[in-house]
Amino acid sequence: MDKFGKRFEGKVAIVTASTQGIGFGIAERLGLEGASVVISSRKQKNVDEAVENLRSKGIEALGLVCHVSNALHRKNLIDKTIQRYGRIDVIVSNAAANPSVEPILNTKESVLDKLWEINVKASILLLQDAAPHLQKGSSVIFISSIAGFNPPPAMSMYGVTKTALFGLTKAIAAEMAPNTRVNCIAPGFVPTNFASFITSNKEMRKALEEKTLLNRLGEVGDMAAAAAFLASDDAAYITGETLVVAGGQPSRL
């Protein structure tokens, strides 16, 4: 008996930055629930390995190289999905960058541009390409962060871009209603490669765990379950909202 239901049978889901970590976990969960999944990242080797992993679990998967700040890559991601499957039902915008640990007032303009371009602007441009192909009843999910509520010093500008996704969720949900729902997930700290500079430090990890009511860091599966819920018909009356999945860590602007 399958561990999960089949809420996404016959549906097609695109997940960006999805060859490892939270993105892969979301793609895997949607695939296990019946979706055909389109995964992507910047390196062909990572794409190939992730596709093989998904297919070994019986998941229909298409893998493409896509740097989300590259217009041709974004267009190719949408075009190849339509060529292969003829539809798009779910988009999870997960790609993010955090190239600096400098205070905001010491951050170089080129770094500010990169943070804005990848963490916010690319999500908008991807949706501009995808919107004409989204089915009625489709779902868009932005992956933000608990850091968007109170940006910590070592990742303050990253946190600000994640704050921007809260507002973007509200604005895009209004534009895309009633045919497409748009929601956001704000994960707590999850021990992935992306967050390893924080979670691999024993003292920092312990301090983070103590800030949560559940006394643990998040897991990829926690975020995947939240995304599957928001993307599914179980959340058919939810749009424009941010779901915090952070074990009870404080989350207020």
Side-chain angles (χ1 to χ4, degrees):
M1 183 176 180
D2 290 336
K3 181 179 179 182
F4 306 118
K6 295 292 184 182
R7 292 179 291 185
F8 300 101
E9 277 192 324
K11 296 189 176 183
V12 177
I14 295 174
V15 186
T16 63
S18 46
T19 57
Q20 59 184 358
I22 290 173
F24 180 82
I26 292 172
E28 180 183 46
R29 176 63 184 263
L30 297 177
L32 289 172
E33 290 207 38
S36 298
V37 295
V38 181
I39 64 167
S40 64
S41 73
R42 293 175 295 173
K43 297 180 180 179
Q44 186 69 57
K45 178 177 181 290
N46 293 348
V47 170
D48 293 342
E49 289 175 355
V51 167
E52 184 178 350
N53 189 341
L54 292 171
R55 289 177 178 169
S56 72
K57 296 169 182 173
I59 295 169
E60 167 58 34
L62 171 65
L64 298 165
V65 171
C66 180
H67 195 308
V68 294
S69 64
N70 184 310
L72 290 177
H73 284 195
R74 289 192 306 269
K75 186 176 186 302
N76 184 60
L77 182 66
I78 302 303
D79 289 349
K80 288 289 173 60
T81 300
I82 293 301
Q83 288 171 19
R84 176 81 164 256
Y85 301 112
R87 60 187 292 145
I88 302 171
D89 300 278
V90 177
I91 294 181
V92 181
S93 185
N94 174 62
N98 183 28
S100 173
V101 294
E102 294 288 334
I104 292 174
L105 297 183
N106 292 345
T107 303
K108 294 179 181 179
E109 183 175 1
S110 60
V111 175
L112 293 174
D113 289 343
K114 182 176 182 178
L115 279 160
W116 165 255
E117 190 167 346
I118 294 176
N119 295 2
V120 184
K121 181 180 171 184
S123 291
I124 300 170
L125 295 175
L126 181 65
L127 282 185
Q128 288 180 355
D129 289 338
H133 305 288
L134 285 168
Q135 301 292 305
K136 185 174 182 179
S138 55
S139 175
V140 171
I141 300 171
F142 298 121
I143 304 299
S144 180
S145 170
I146 192 71
F149 290 100
N150 190 18
M155 48 200 304
S156 49
M157 195 59 214
Y158 167 85
V160 171
T161 62
K162 292 301 190 175
T163 309
L165 292 180
F166 302 155
L168 183 65
T169 298
K170 295 287 188 186
I172 299 291
E175 285 193 22
M176 301 190 79
N179 291 334
T180 298
R181 296 181 300 104
V182 182
N183 291 293
C184 180
I185 295 173
F189 289 93
V190 180
T192 62
N193 287 340
F194 186 81
S196 62
F197 75 100
I198 293 176
T199 58
S200 61
N201 181 303
K202 288 184 179 180
E203 290 184 2
M204 292 180 72
R205 178 169 181 150
K206 187 172 186 296
L208 288 172
E209 289 171 345
E210 289 174 350
K211 285 183 179 180
T212 73
L213 298 180
L214 300 182
N215 294 320
R216 69 171 178 88
L217 297 188
E219 298 176 357
V220 167
D222 297 322
M223 310 309 146
F229 165 67
L230 285 177
S232 77
D233 290 341
D234 288 337
Y237 201 52
I238 301 175
T239 194
E241 301 295 344
T242 294
L243 177 61
V244 181
V245 189
Q249 192 171 343
S251 54
R252 184 175 179 181
L253 287 172

PDB file of all heavy atoms in Angstrom, residues 107-125:
ATOM      1  N   THR A 107      27.162  45.645   1.721  1.00  0.00           N
ATOM      2  CA  THR A 107      26.976  44.711   0.610  1.00  0.00           C
ATOM      3  C   THR A 107      27.167  45.413  -0.729  1.00  0.00           C
ATOM      4  O   THR A 107      26.601  46.478  -0.976  1.00  0.00           O
ATOM      5  CB  THR A 107      25.562  44.086   0.661  1.00  0.00           C
ATOM      6  OG1 THR A 107      25.383  43.444   1.925  1.00  0.00           O
ATOM      7  CG2 THR A 107      25.385  43.058  -0.444  1.00  0.00           C
ATOM      8  N   LYS A 108      27.980  44.806  -1.589  1.00  0.00           N
ATOM      9  CA  LYS A 108      28.261  45.389  -2.899  1.00  0.00           C
ATOM     10  C   LYS A 108      27.001  45.414  -3.769  1.00  0.00           C
ATOM     11  O   LYS A 108      26.140  44.552  -3.656  1.00  0.00           O
ATOM     12  CB  LYS A 108      29.353  44.588  -3.616  1.00  0.00           C
ATOM     13  CG  LYS A 108      30.704  44.654  -2.939  1.00  0.00           C
ATOM     14  CD  LYS A 108      31.719  43.810  -3.692  1.00  0.00           C
ATOM     15  CE  LYS A 108      33.084  43.847  -3.017  1.00  0.00           C
ATOM     16  NZ  LYS A 108      34.069  43.001  -3.740  1.00  0.00           N
ATOM     17  N   GLU A 109      26.945  46.382  -4.656  1.00  0.00           N
ATOM     18  CA  GLU A 109      25.780  46.523  -5.528  1.00  0.00           C
ATOM     19  C   GLU A 109      25.574  45.279  -6.375  1.00  0.00           C
ATOM     20  O   GLU A 109      24.436  44.844  -6.586  1.00  0.00           O
ATOM     21  CB  GLU A 109      25.933  47.747  -6.433  1.00  0.00           C
ATOM     22  CG  GLU A 109      24.720  47.992  -7.307  1.00  0.00           C
ATOM     23  CD  GLU A 109      24.827  49.268  -8.125  1.00  0.00           C
ATOM     24  OE1 GLU A 109      25.859  49.960  -8.024  1.00  0.00           O
ATOM     25  OE2 GLU A 109      23.881  49.556  -8.880  1.00  0.00           O
ATOM     26  N   SER A 110      26.659  44.658  -6.842  1.00  0.00           N
ATOM     27  CA  SER A 110      26.530  43.461  -7.673  1.00  0.00           C
ATOM     28  C   SER A 110      25.887  42.316  -6.894  1.00  0.00           C
ATOM     29  O   SER A 110      25.124  41.517  -7.453  1.00  0.00           O
ATOM     30  CB  SER A 110      27.897  43.029  -8.204  1.00  0.00           C
ATOM     31  OG  SER A 110      28.778  42.727  -7.122  1.00  0.00           O
ATOM     32  N   VAL A 111      26.174  42.235  -5.596  1.00  0.00           N
ATOM     33  CA  VAL A 111      25.582  41.199  -4.755  1.00  0.00           C
ATOM     34  C   VAL A 111      24.111  41.502  -4.496  1.00  0.00           C
ATOM     35  O   VAL A 111      23.258  40.605  -4.526  1.00  0.00           O
ATOM     36  CB  VAL A 111      26.362  41.059  -3.429  1.00  0.00           C
ATOM     37  CG1 VAL A 111      25.670  40.069  -2.492  1.00  0.00           C
ATOM     38  CG2 VAL A 111      27.788  40.611  -3.704  1.00  0.00           C
ATOM     39  N   LEU A 112      23.802  42.769  -4.264  1.00  0.00           N
ATOM     40  CA  LEU A 112      22.400  43.175  -4.104  1.00  0.00           C
ATOM     41  C   LEU A 112      21.599  42.801  -5.347  1.00  0.00           C
ATOM     42  O   LEU A 112      20.476  42.300  -5.257  1.00  0.00           O
ATOM     43  CB  LEU A 112      22.299  44.674  -3.852  1.00  0.00           C
ATOM     44  CG  LEU A 112      22.864  45.199  -2.522  1.00  0.00           C
ATOM     45  CD1 LEU A 112      22.822  46.720  -2.516  1.00  0.00           C
ATOM     46  CD2 LEU A 112      22.090  44.639  -1.340  1.00  0.00           C
ATOM     47  N   ASP A 113      22.187  43.052  -6.510  1.00  0.00           N
ATOM     48  CA  ASP A 113      21.508  42.731  -7.768  1.00  0.00           C
ATOM     49  C   ASP A 113      21.261  41.234  -7.896  1.00  0.00           C
ATOM     50  O   ASP A 113      20.179  40.808  -8.307  1.00  0.00           O
ATOM     51  CB  ASP A 113      22.343  43.218  -8.959  1.00  0.00           C
ATOM     52  CG  ASP A 113      22.352  44.731  -9.103  1.00  0.00           C
ATOM     53  OD1 ASP A 113      21.478  45.389  -8.499  1.00  0.00           O
ATOM     54  OD2 ASP A 113      23.236  45.246  -9.808  1.00  0.00           O
ATOM     55  N   LYS A 114      22.272  40.426  -7.533  1.00  0.00           N
ATOM     56  CA  LYS A 114      22.130  38.972  -7.642  1.00  0.00           C
ATOM     57  C   LYS A 114      21.044  38.456  -6.705  1.00  0.00           C
ATOM     58  O   LYS A 114      20.225  37.610  -7.086  1.00  0.00           O
ATOM     59  CB  LYS A 114      23.463  38.292  -7.336  1.00  0.00           C
ATOM     60  CG  LYS A 114      23.401  36.775  -7.478  1.00  0.00           C
ATOM     61  CD  LYS A 114      24.764  36.130  -7.270  1.00  0.00           C
ATOM     62  CE  LYS A 114      24.684  34.617  -7.468  1.00  0.00           C
ATOM     63  NZ  LYS A 114      26.009  33.977  -7.306  1.00  0.00           N
ATOM     64  N   LEU A 115      21.024  38.962  -5.477  1.00  0.00           N
ATOM     65  CA  LEU A 115      20.003  38.543  -4.515  1.00  0.00           C
ATOM     66  C   LEU A 115      18.609  38.872  -5.019  1.00  0.00           C
ATOM     67  O   LEU A 115      17.689  38.048  -4.947  1.00  0.00           O
ATOM     68  CB  LEU A 115      20.264  39.237  -3.172  1.00  0.00           C
ATOM     69  CG  LEU A 115      21.345  38.604  -2.295  1.00  0.00           C
ATOM     70  CD1 LEU A 115      21.859  39.599  -1.267  1.00  0.00           C
ATOM     71  CD2 LEU A 115      20.803  37.368  -1.597  1.00  0.00           C
ATOM     72  N   TRP A 116      18.416  40.067  -5.516  1.00  0.00           N
ATOM     73  CA  TRP A 116      17.114  40.474  -6.037  1.00  0.00           C
ATOM     74  C   TRP A 116      16.743  39.640  -7.256  1.00  0.00           C
ATOM     75  O   TRP A 116      15.629  39.137  -7.373  1.00  0.00           O
ATOM     76  CB  TRP A 116      17.121  41.953  -6.391  1.00  0.00           C
ATOM     77  CG  TRP A 116      15.970  42.370  -7.247  1.00  0.00           C
ATOM     78  CD1 TRP A 116      15.986  42.651  -8.583  1.00  0.00           C
ATOM     79  CD2 TRP A 116      14.599  42.514  -6.849  1.00  0.00           C
ATOM     80  NE1 TRP A 116      14.743  42.961  -9.038  1.00  0.00           N
ATOM     81  CE2 TRP A 116      13.867  42.889  -7.991  1.00  0.00           C
ATOM     82  CE3 TRP A 116      13.925  42.359  -5.641  1.00  0.00           C
ATOM     83  CZ2 TRP A 116      12.491  43.107  -7.960  1.00  0.00           C
ATOM     84  CZ3 TRP A 116      12.553  42.580  -5.614  1.00  0.00           C
ATOM     85  CH2 TRP A 116      11.858  42.945  -6.756  1.00  0.00           C
ATOM     86  N   GLU A 117      17.725  39.464  -8.159  1.00  0.00           N
ATOM     87  CA  GLU A 117      17.445  38.794  -9.425  1.00  0.00           C
ATOM     88  C   GLU A 117      17.024  37.345  -9.235  1.00  0.00           C
ATOM     89  O   GLU A 117      16.050  36.883  -9.832  1.00  0.00           O
ATOM     90  CB  GLU A 117      18.688  38.862 -10.327  1.00  0.00           C
ATOM     91  CG  GLU A 117      18.427  38.402 -11.735  1.00  0.00           C
ATOM     92  CD  GLU A 117      19.555  38.777 -12.687  1.00  0.00           C
ATOM     93  OE1 GLU A 117      20.399  39.605 -12.320  1.00  0.00           O
ATOM     94  OE2 GLU A 117      19.566  38.225 -13.794  1.00  0.00           O
ATOM     95  N   ILE A 118      17.735  36.614  -8.393  1.00  0.00           N
ATOM     96  CA  ILE A 118      17.450  35.184  -8.225  1.00  0.00           C
ATOM     97  C   ILE A 118      16.313  34.943  -7.236  1.00  0.00           C
ATOM     98  O   ILE A 118      15.424  34.125  -7.484  1.00  0.00           O
ATOM     99  CB  ILE A 118      18.721  34.437  -7.776  1.00  0.00           C
ATOM    100  CG1 ILE A 118      19.765  34.493  -8.900  1.00  0.00           C
ATOM    101  CG2 ILE A 118      18.395  32.981  -7.410  1.00  0.00           C
ATOM    102  CD1 ILE A 118      21.089  33.870  -8.548  1.00  0.00           C
ATOM    103  N   ASN A 119      16.309  35.665  -6.128  1.00  0.00           N
ATOM    104  CA  ASN A 119      15.360  35.366  -5.056  1.00  0.00           C
ATOM    105  C   ASN A 119      13.970  35.940  -5.277  1.00  0.00           C
ATOM    106  O   ASN A 119      13.003  35.442  -4.681  1.00  0.00           O
ATOM    107  CB  ASN A 119      15.907  35.880  -3.717  1.00  0.00           C
ATOM    108  CG  ASN A 119      17.171  35.158  -3.297  1.00  0.00           C
ATOM    109  OD1 ASN A 119      17.678  34.306  -4.007  1.00  0.00           O
ATOM    110  ND2 ASN A 119      17.695  35.505  -2.144  1.00  0.00           N
ATOM    111  N   VAL A 120      13.865  36.986  -6.095  1.00  0.00           N
ATOM    112  CA  VAL A 120      12.553  37.619  -6.297  1.00  0.00           C
ATOM    113  C   VAL A 120      12.200  37.751  -7.783  1.00  0.00           C
ATOM    114  O   VAL A 120      11.204  37.201  -8.252  1.00  0.00           O
ATOM    115  CB  VAL A 120      12.504  39.018  -5.634  1.00  0.00           C
ATOM    116  CG1 VAL A 120      11.103  39.626  -5.776  1.00  0.00           C
ATOM    117  CG2 VAL A 120      12.896  38.943  -4.163  1.00  0.00           C
ATOM    118  N   LYS A 121      13.025  38.453  -8.511  1.00  0.00           N
ATOM    119  CA  LYS A 121      12.711  38.776  -9.906  1.00  0.00           C
ATOM    120  C   LYS A 121      12.506  37.535 -10.778  1.00  0.00           C
ATOM    121  O   LYS A 121      11.582  37.479 -11.600  1.00  0.00           O
ATOM    122  CB  LYS A 121      13.843  39.645 -10.479  1.00  0.00           C
ATOM    123  CG  LYS A 121      13.666  40.080 -11.920  1.00  0.00           C
ATOM    124  CD  LYS A 121      14.870  40.919 -12.339  1.00  0.00           C
ATOM    125  CE  LYS A 121      14.867  41.202 -13.833  1.00  0.00           C
ATOM    126  NZ  LYS A 121      16.091  41.942 -14.239  1.00  0.00           N
ATOM    127  N   ALA A 122      13.357  36.527 -10.592  1.00  0.00           N
ATOM    128  CA  ALA A 122      13.252  35.315 -11.420  1.00  0.00           C
ATOM    129  C   ALA A 122      11.908  34.623 -11.246  1.00  0.00           C
ATOM    130  O   ALA A 122      11.368  34.052 -12.203  1.00  0.00           O
ATOM    131  CB  ALA A 122      14.392  34.352 -11.101  1.00  0.00           C
ATOM    132  N   SER A 123      11.358  34.668 -10.037  1.00  0.00           N
ATOM    133  CA  SER A 123      10.046  34.056  -9.802  1.00  0.00           C
ATOM    134  C   SER A 123       8.963  34.761 -10.613  1.00  0.00           C
ATOM    135  O   SER A 123       8.068  34.114 -11.165  1.00  0.00           O
ATOM    136  CB  SER A 123       9.696  34.123  -8.309  1.00  0.00           C
ATOM    137  OG  SER A 123      10.525  33.277  -7.563  1.00  0.00           O
ATOM    138  N   ILE A 124       9.057  36.071 -10.674  1.00  0.00           N
ATOM    139  CA  ILE A 124       8.080  36.848 -11.443  1.00  0.00           C
ATOM    140  C   ILE A 124       8.205  36.530 -12.936  1.00  0.00           C
ATOM    141  O   ILE A 124       7.204  36.267 -13.622  1.00  0.00           O
ATOM    142  CB  ILE A 124       8.292  38.358 -11.204  1.00  0.00           C
ATOM    143  CG1 ILE A 124       8.113  38.696  -9.720  1.00  0.00           C
ATOM    144  CG2 ILE A 124       7.337  39.183 -12.079  1.00  0.00           C
ATOM    145  CD1 ILE A 124       8.542  40.117  -9.359  1.00  0.00           C
ATOM    146  N   LEU A 125       9.431  36.531 -13.431  1.00  0.00           N
ATOM    147  CA  LEU A 125       9.646  36.306 -14.859  1.00  0.00           C
ATOM    148  C   LEU A 125       9.268  34.885 -15.271  1.00  0.00           C
ATOM    149  O   LEU A 125       8.732  34.662 -16.359  1.00  0.00           O
ATOM    150  CB  LEU A 125      11.105  36.600 -15.215  1.00  0.00           C
ATOM    151  CG  LEU A 125      11.526  38.060 -15.035  1.00  0.00           C
ATOM    152  CD1 LEU A 125      13.020  38.220 -15.304  1.00  0.00           C
ATOM    153  CD2 LEU A 125      10.721  38.985 -15.949  1.00  0.00           C
TER     154      LEU A 125
END
